[in-house]
Amino acid sequence: MGEDRRLVAVVALAQGMAAAHGSHEAWRAAAVGACRALGGSFAALSVWERELGRLKVLVNVGELAEGEEEFPEDESYPVHQFAEITEFLHEQWAGGGEPDAWVETAEGPAAGRRPGYCHQRVAALRRRGRGCCVVAPIVLHGRAWGELYVARPVGEPVFERADADFATVLAAVVAAGIAQTERLEEARRLAFTDALTGLANRRAVDVHLEQAIERHRRDGAVVSLVVCDLNGLKRVNDTHGHAAGDRLLERFGSVLSLCGAMLPGALAARLGGDEFCLLAVGPPAEQVVKAAGELCRRAAELELGDGVACGVASTEDPIGPVRSARRLFRLADAAQYRAKAERAARPVVAGRAGPGDPVMRLADEPSQETDGERRRFRGRHAP
């Protein structure tokens, strides 16, 4: 491959990673770009999970062998079987060497290969019908992060030293792309995370609830919302100080997360101040009410707290048509107000009360939302 073609390949790899939305797309773009750049038939990207002592395969692309998957659930290998990443990067590189790529062949050590012949890699090549591979360490933030692996089938030209040198360049580009992806994901995480509790924040609820209602309109998915108000926070702040109030909020956030785990895929969030919610898509309404009941029970046991007022609204209950996120939130919020007014020890559920109940009357009202309101959920907590 000429220098111009290799430059084009490097640019294409970098652009592919930059255009990715999330880690999985970035990993795949890295492997695909490296595979094309090196003229391989297969490529993989692996990460070194230090705490587990293993190389975990993140993505496989190209001609997959039997048992290989594009995004494997748990394809991993003990690092002692492929020890170059630990021995070379921690001993030779730390001593002033360079994290160069190297070549393996199904016939044994390749010319110019570093000391430390790896029988496991050779055996893997033979087992999967591949003739050679080039392995490039990926270094991120000054530490070994993982490796880039590109292979060719039996009968194809064996990778040369120049290919290994080029793979070293590609690995550096991949490392830069991974670092950028991590920064973007951290920014997204912070944008949708409550700093104090680590739960989702109001912005995340807005987005997920809109999507949930769209699913409900499209295919009838059950959408349930639990809105809760932590009782006694002002008293704790006034009596014990805001640090104690923050600890109470954190503890309740942990309880909310625990109870939310009873509902597969539920989103636990802090709306702001002492107000929290659980959003569940799919589980039956009764299961959501049960989780809300457990939340009330556990909240009542928190030190310094005074329990929680909890309201539930579910599209599976008789609350009338729910065409917007705003309407479901209003119903759950009204139920929560009722629970707070009555100091109820259990959740109040919209649509399940008697005919004189104000929550029931609200549920029977025709929806007055405008098209704009249906497009964007802005409950009473919105700025």
Side-chain angles (χ1 to χ4, degrees), residues 210 217 323-327 330 366-378:
E210 284 284 6
R217 290 196 297 256
R323 299 187 179 90
S324 72
R326 183 172 183 268
R327 178 162 176 76
R330 286 176 61 201
S367 176
Q368 299 297 319
E369 286 90 283
T370 66
D371 289 339
E373 287 173 328
R374 289 173 183 166
R375 285 193 299 270
R376 178 67 176 165
F377 163 45
R378 294 190 185 277

Side-chain angles (χ1 to χ4, degrees), residues 15-16 25 29 36 45 72-73 103-104 116 120 131 135 140 150 158 164 184 204 231 236 265 299 319 324 346:
Q15 289 177 335
E25 286 189 19
R36 290 173 178 169
L45 186 68
E73 284 292 322
V103 175
E104 303 276 4
Q120 288 83 359
V135 185
L140 194 62
V150 180
V158 172
L184 290 173
N231 296 326
V236 172
I319 58 175
S324 72
R346 294 184 297 178

Side-chain angles (χ1 to χ4, degrees), residues 57-200:
V57 179
L58 300 174
V59 63
N60 295 309
V61 300
E63 299 174 7
L64 306 186
E66 183 178 354
E68 289 177 333
E69 300 176 356
E70 184 174 31
F71 292 104
E73 284 292 322
D74 191 27
E75 182 185 351
S76 59
Y77 304 93
V79 289
H80 70 265
Q81 292 183 2
F82 303 95
E84 302 97 336
I85 193 169
T86 56
E87 294 175 357
F88 171 59
L89 286 177
H90 272 269
E91 295 175 13
Q92 297 189 36
W93 181 40
E98 291 294 330
D100 294 333
W102 66 88
V103 175
E104 303 276 4
T105 77
E107 303 303 319
R113 194 220 184 281
R114 288 188 175 276
Y117 171 52
C118 185
H119 294 278
Q120 288 83 359
R121 290 192 190 274
V122 172
L125 285 170
R126 293 172 180 170
R127 185 169 63 250
R128 291 165 178 163
R130 293 168 184 147
C132 64
C133 69
V134 58
V135 185
I138 296 173
V139 178
L140 194 62
H141 309 310
R143 301 179 66 191
W145 182 90
E147 65 178 38
L148 180 66
Y149 176 100
V150 180
R152 288 175 179 168
V154 173
E156 291 291 315
V158 172
F159 288 114
E160 300 176 349
R161 181 67 251 172
D163 295 312
D165 292 341
F166 184 42
T168 299
V169 174
L170 294 175
V173 175
V174 169
I178 291 171
Q180 177 66 10
T181 299
E182 289 183 350
R183 285 193 293 269
L184 290 173
E185 291 199 335
E186 177 64 9
R188 294 190 191 104
R189 186 190 68 79
L190 292 174
F192 291 96
T193 303
D194 176 65
L196 177 64
T197 63
L199 300 175

Side-chain angles (χ1 to χ4, degrees), residues 195-264:
L196 177 64
T197 63
L199 300 175
N201 64 11
R202 176 55 189 268
R203 185 180 289 108
V205 174
D206 286 353
V207 172
H208 284 81
L209 187 52
E210 284 284 6
Q211 294 172 346
I213 294 301
E214 178 58 33
R215 275 192 59 189
H216 171 69
R217 290 196 297 256
R218 185 178 66 247
D219 55 29
V222 176
V223 180
S224 304
L225 187 65
V226 181
V227 174
C228 42
D229 190 285
L230 185 60
N231 296 326
L233 180 63
K234 185 178 185 305
R235 174 184 56 78
V236 172
N237 284 333
D238 292 344
T239 305
H240 301 280
H242 286 274
D246 286 349
R247 287 196 299 273
L248 177 59
L249 289 168
E250 289 182 88
R251 287 167 183 158
F252 180 72
S254 298
V255 169
L256 183 69
S257 178
L258 178 67
C259 294
M262 298 169 61
L263 307 169

Side-chain angles (χ1 to χ4, degrees), residues 2-24:
E3 291 300 319
D4 289 344
R5 289 183 62 192
R6 285 193 163 173
L7 179 60
V8 169
V10 169
V11 171
L13 190 157
Q15 289 177 335
M17 294 191 72
H21 298 286
S23 294
H24 282 68

Side-chain angles (χ1 to χ4, degrees), residues 264 281 290:
V281 182
K290 181 179 179 181

